[in-house]
Amino acid sequence: MIIFDLYQTLIDSAEPEPLHRKRKWNEVYSLIQSLKPYLGIDALLFKLYEQGVLAAIVTSSPRT
């Protein structure tokens, strides 16, 4: 199994980073739909899936 961190690993989260540091979670969450994965991440995850490798995505941000 491979465990990936969401922020700054799978997605470019530079835009909400100042809000993340200030712990303004509702504002961070409102931007999630606009964040894009880094180039090649989608292909990497699909390749892992094709090869039967389990993958998980985690974050230290709190849940709402």
Side-chain angles (χ1 to χ4, degrees):
M1 175 183 268
I2 299 175
I3 300 173
F4 293 98
D5 185 26
L6 181 64
Y7 291 105
Q8 297 295 5
T9 303
L10 297 179
I11 60 170
D12 181 359
S13 55
E15 180 184 352
E17 184 58 29
L19 298 169
H20 191 263
R21 277 189 248 127
K22 292 178 184 175
R23 300 182 180 277
K24 294 187 174 190
W25 303 118
N26 287 335
E27 294 174 53
V28 171
Y29 296 146
S30 72
L31 295 173
I32 286 178
Q33 292 295 325
S34 67
L35 302 178
K36 303 293 183 208
Y38 285 113
L39 185 63
I41 291 296
D42 53 347
L44 170 66
L45 293 174
F46 186 72
K47 189 72 165 175
L48 293 172
Y49 172 78
E50 282 185 323
Q51 294 182 3
V53 176
L54 295 176
I57 301 172
V58 299
T59 183
S60 61
S61 299
R63 291 182 180 212
T64 55

